Every structure is written in C-alpha cells, then in structure tokens.
Amino acid sequence: MTIELILGYMSEIYSYIIHTLCFKKCTSSVSNNKKITNFLLILILSTISMFTNLYFNNFFRIFCTLSLIIIEFKIIYKKEISDTILITLMISVVSIFVEFVFAGLLSLISSNITIVNDNYWYKTIITIIFASVLYLLVLLLHNVIFKINNKIKDRLNIEMLFGIVIIIINLFTIVYGENYKDYKIFFVIIVSIISIMAMILIILNMFLKKQRISMENEVLLKNIKAYEQIAEDYSTLRHNLNNDLAAIKTYVDSDVRELIEEKLKKYNSEYNIVIKMTNIPKGLQGLIFYKMNTINNKNINFDIKSTVNFDTFNKINKKLYSKLCDIVGISLDNAIEATLKTKEKCLFINIVQNGKDIDIKIINTFNDTLDINKIGTKQYSTKKIKSGIGLDYINKISDNNIKTKKEIISNLFIVTIKLIISS
Amino acid sequence: MTKIIVVEDEEKEKLKTQSIISPFLFKYEEPIKLLFFNKCDDGLLKEIEDLSERKIYILDICLKSKITGINIALKIRENDWDSEIIFLTNHTSYEQKVYNNVLKVFKFIEKFDDMEKRLSDCLNLILSKKVDNKVFKYRNNQINLRIYMKDILYICRDKDERKLIIKTTKNVFKINMTFSEVLKELDSRFKKTHRSCIVNTDRVSRYDWKNGKILLDNNEEISLLSKKYKEEVV
C-alpha cells in the first residue's frame, strides 16, 4: 500500500510538472517566482490531487483536477484568468486525446490487460510515458494553441465549448473506469473525440471570422464617427461663411456684389450633400449613398432632410428595418428614373417623425404618361425596360408596420412611406 | 379672408417685413389678416392645419430654432398645396432649385437684394388673384391625383380603353371617369368642343372651325373641334 501511494504520488508530481511545462510552451510565459516556490506549490497540489483520487468519486475528481491545474498555472505564471482557463482546457482536451489513444493501443497490444490493471508499477510507468507523450504533442501543437488563445476575444463561448467536450469525454471515463479494458471502447471514444474536435474547429473558424468582421466594423464605425464630426464642423463653418459673405454684400457696390455672389455659388456648389446625411441611420444612409452615384452622374438636383432622432431607428427590429430599406430602395429607383425624363430633374427625400412613427417622403418631378388605375399593378411600367414589379412588390410587402401612399400633385410624384413604430 | 403668415425670428427683419406688407392690408377688397410667428409653435401649427382660408406664407429659411423655414414649408405641404409660400433667404443656394419644384415655392427672395420691391411684386400678383391654384382631384385605392386646372390643356377619350386622357403641360394621365363626371369637377373655363373632347379655353390660341382644329398655347394642335359645340365655346 505504501509503495502504491508513493508511486501514485510521484506520477502525480510528474504529471503536474509536465502540465506546467506544457503551459509554459503554449504561452511563452516565464515564472517570476522562485523555483523552490513553484516546486512546493506542485507538491501541495499533487497531495490534494492524490487525496481526491483516493477518496472522491470520478466525476468530482475531474473537476477537482482541472481546478487545481488552473490554480497552479495562475499562481506560477500570473496570466489573465481567462487566458489561463482557456489554455488549461485546450491542454486538457489534448491530454484526454492522448490518454485514450494510449489506452486503446495498450488494450490492443496487451495480451492480458488485467496484469496491467493490477500492477501499480506498470500503471505508474504508463502514466509517465503518457505525460511525456502529452508534452511532445503539445510541443507540436503549441503554436496552434497560442494562436487560438490570442485571436479569441470573447472567451466565454469557447471556454464553455471546451468545457462541454471535457465533461462528455470524462463521462465516458466514469462509465468505463480507470482500468484499461477492451480496446474497441477506446477507439470508439477516440473517434468521438476526433468528431467533436472537428466540429469545434468548424465552429471556432466561424466564430473567428465573425470576430474579425466585428472588429472591422468597430474600426469602420469609429472612422465614420470621426468623419461625421468633421462634416458637422465643416457645415457650421460653411454656414457662418455664407452668412458673413451675405452680410458683406449689403455694404458693397454691384460689381463687388456679383463677385461675392460667384464666391457664394462656388462654396455652395462644392457643398457636399454627404454632410446632410449624418442624421440618417446607417442602412438607409448606405442605400442613399449608393444611389448618389447615379444622382450625381445624371445631374439630378437632389436634397435630403431628416429631423428624426437616431435612437428612434435603433428601436426598430432588424427585419422591419430591412423591409423599410427595400421599399425605400425601390421607390428611390423609380423616382430617379422618372425625374431623369424631366427638364427640372428634382428629387427630394424628407424623413420626419410623426408622433412615434416615421414618415419618409420621396418627391420627384416627372414627365410621363400614367394610367392612374394601373399604377402599382403587376407588369405596368413606364420604364423603357419594362418590369412592372417594383410598385407591385411594394404593395405586397407593405403591412401593418409599413404603409405606403402615393400622390400626384401637378408634375410631382410623391411617395410617402409610413413606418409605424407605435404598434 | 386671406391670411398673410410671416415666420421671422429677427426683430429687425420682422419690422422691415411688416412695413412692406402693411400697405397691402387695405389695398384690396378682400379682407387680409397679418400674423407673425418667430418659430414653429402650436399657434403656427394650428394655422397650418386650418385649410378653410387662403394663406400666403412668408418664411425665413434660417430660423434660430431647430425647425427651419424649409421644415415649416414641408409641414404646410403635407396637406396644403393651395397656399403660396415665399421664402426669405440671406443668399441663394443650390437647394433652391429643388425646393422651387418640390414645394411649389412661389418665390425665393434675398433679403439683401431689393427685398421690398420683390416682395411687394409677389404680394400684388398673389392678392390680385392673378395666381390660379384651382385643382382637379381624382383618387382611387392606389393614388391621389391633384392637377392644377391651369395646367390642363384638354381632356379626351382613349380610343382603345374606356378611359379619359387628361393632357397637361407636362404629363398625360388616364383615369376611369366619364365626361359628365369630369365636367362636374372642373370650372367654367373647360368647354366641350367635340363629343370626345373637353378643352381648357384659357389655353387655346386659336380655333380653326373650318378644319375642325384647335391650336393650343404650347403649339400643340388637336383635331377635336366640332361646329356643333361652337355656341358653347364662343
């Protein structure tokens, strides 16, 4: 019994040392503690681990072992707790994999597995070999573990994922005990581990991709905010400049007045419609920017006004907002197409709050032949390349939350899109 | 009664505008009331919503409050396309062309460019009823149609479909109505010249009774003139 305890204790110590070296390799960390301190810590934790192995059931032992290892790494290497937990979990998964491969091979090659199970010398030697193999495998995989740890920002999901894997695998261990048994069981478990790990890698890949996009969006948003501030400052400057020049105009003779007028036109023609778009929420803003290319190229006289608070748009659910953008997009396309046929080429968008609801009005000049009773019906179109699905589609997707209204006032076509938020 | 509603927040400008408008208050037979607002408040909104009286809005584009003259004009045009809007501005801008068209602004007047004469001319034009804003209205489930009667050239029958074609200065509209129904909606300037044509007599340059043709003021010629309707037209 004493020899068994000593052998068990020594294999625990060795196991802890190997795990410590694995952690060091995966994080390229250096311990600032004295070596004797670290060794004493390992001795204490090995003692606790031995105690739990002897007197507690399998399931509790698993959590105990993991917790002790995490505590050990935290004290020795003093890294962030989230880093420590994630790397510990990753090393544990590799360790479990090694254990089962090893156990399976052992069951395969051993003619009498009972001898191995009953002999503590054999078990100790196997444990030492297994730990050494673990270290060799971690040497191969340490770059992968290092990269995964550095790339993942949101740890919780991944840690939970690895945690679940370890729990599932250890449940197998509980069922089949510690002793080496029929090799087929171990190979089934190995296949399960590989499948689970493959799924984890796929999920991880998706997760990292999403994170990358999220980071890019964050940077983009920061840049947009900075740009909007610049645009606002420019707008104030321009406004003041216009007013000052207008005031100066009153004190000068007509020649100078003409010159000032020219300057005013010059500054105003270079006025960027983009500045007016700072109030428009991002989805609609992007849509309008996209149409700006056509608007500018075709010399359409365009203006936009919005007095709606940003926060109001943030309250709308994404599906509804997407539908709104669809309808605005189609209406804008129709408006651009129609106004191009006119001499005036005027297009105006007004976004205004109407109680809790939002009204988006698109007004354009038009010069065309219209069958009033066929507008909005399928396949009726005034376009050269007739499609006739635009207004019909709008009618179909309009519902209790989005209503559209069309009016013609003389040569103006007005589409009012009402977004009902109050319901 | 006609209301002249001025929205101006600068006291000096307000006094100047008042001095320009005051002579008009008793110049015409029709009673005229002058109202001043310095921002878009409940009083102004109440006036905007009241469509019972004819109004002339004189709006300063640059108001100190968040709601500018343009916002007020947009509010007016939500339901009222009959009232006239005159903008007072410090300087011309590229947006004027857009607003001239989409808000049917009567005039943009620069405050520092002969404002007194230009505003007086506008008011004379509007108040002497030389401005005609009568509209023809039609609506169905899909759309509301309002056409200024002064823009309508003629109305004729579509040969292929049982519809009326309303030809205006800039557009052509097809509607489901009969001649008798449409005549009820129009005023006395519209006369039937043919069994399938009603013409806006104010837009006719010449009647060619011999050849049965009408020459309109946009140089368009239509062959829908019948001697049967000569008495009515002349």
Side-chain angles (χ1 to χ4, degrees), chain B residues 105-137:
Chain B
V105 174
F106 191 86
K107 204 91 182 166
F108 274 87
I109 296 174
E110 272 181 74
K111 288 181 187 177
F112 307 113
D113 185 10
D114 210 7
M115 178 179 148
E116 193 180 322
K117 184 178 182 304
R118 294 174 74 190
L119 183 56
S120 299
D121 287 345
C122 286
L123 288 171
N124 265 323
L125 211 56
I126 296 167
L127 291 169
S128 62
K129 294 184 184 176
K130 287 180 185 169
V131 177
D132 171 16
N133 279 337
K134 280 189 176 176
V135 287
F136 166 76
K137 294 178 197 174

Side-chain angles (χ1 to χ4, degrees), chain A residues 242-243 246 249-250 261 264 268 271 273 276 301-303 305 307 344 346-348 350 361 363 366-375 395 406-414, chain B residues 62 68 70-71 74 77-78 81 90-95 97-99 101-104 110 112-113 138 140 142-148 151 161 163 170-176:
Chain A
N242 277 332
N243 283 342
K249 244 169 77 173
T250 58
E261 192 55 48
L264 277 169
N268 284 307
Y271 175 84
I273 195 88
K276 288 195 170 187
N301 297 297
F302 172 68
D303 198 28
K305 241 184 169 36
T307 51
E344 305 87 6
C346 288
L347 174 61
F348 178 66
N350 186 33
K361 212 167 247 199
I363 308 175
F366 78 102
N367 186 346
D368 220 324
T369 300
L370 287 182
D371 190 329
I372 300 299
N373 294 95
K374 284 187 182 172
I375 287 176
N395 286 339
K406 294 177 270 297
E407 294 173 276
I408 293 173
I409 314 283
S410 183
N411 69 325
L412 297 177
F413 200 100
I414 304 169
Chain B
C62 297
T68 64
I70 299 288
N71 295 122
L74 286 163
R77 289 296 186 233
E78 270 179 26
W81 288 89
N90 285 330
H91 53 82
T92 54
S93 67
Y94 84 101
E95 299 117 324
K97 190 165 184 188
V98 178
Y99 295 127
N101 283 284
V102 302
L103 293 177
K104 298 288 179 214
E110 272 181 74
F112 307 113
D113 185 10
Y138 174 81
N140 63 14
Q142 290 291 330
I143 198 162
N144 288 345
L145 173 67
R146 290 167 62 103
I147 310 170
Y148 289 112
D151 291 338
E161 298 173 74
K163 289 186 181 179
K170 294 185 179 178
N171 294 291
V172 176
F173 301 101
K174 292 187 186 180
I175 57 170
N176 281 349

Side-chain angles (χ1 to χ4, degrees), chain A residues 199-249:
Chain A
M199 278 192 289
I200 289 175
L201 278 170
I202 291 167
I203 294 168
L204 201 63
N205 199 31
M206 279 164 55
F207 186 79
L208 288 171
K209 207 172 166 181
K210 193 177 159 192
Q211 272 218 317
R212 201 185 61 241
I213 292 168
S214 173
M215 274 167 64
E216 283 169 8
N217 282 343
E218 216 176 291
V219 168
L220 194 64
L221 275 168
K222 272 189 190 152
N223 282 338
I224 287 173
K225 275 199 169 86
Y227 149 77
E228 280 172 359
Q229 187 56 49
I230 293 168
E232 204 176 304
D233 292 342
Y234 172 74
S235 179
T236 309
L237 181 66
R238 192 195 73 88
H239 181 260
N240 290 339
L241 180 66
N242 277 332
N243 283 342
D244 290 343
L245 283 172
I248 291 168
K249 244 169 77 173

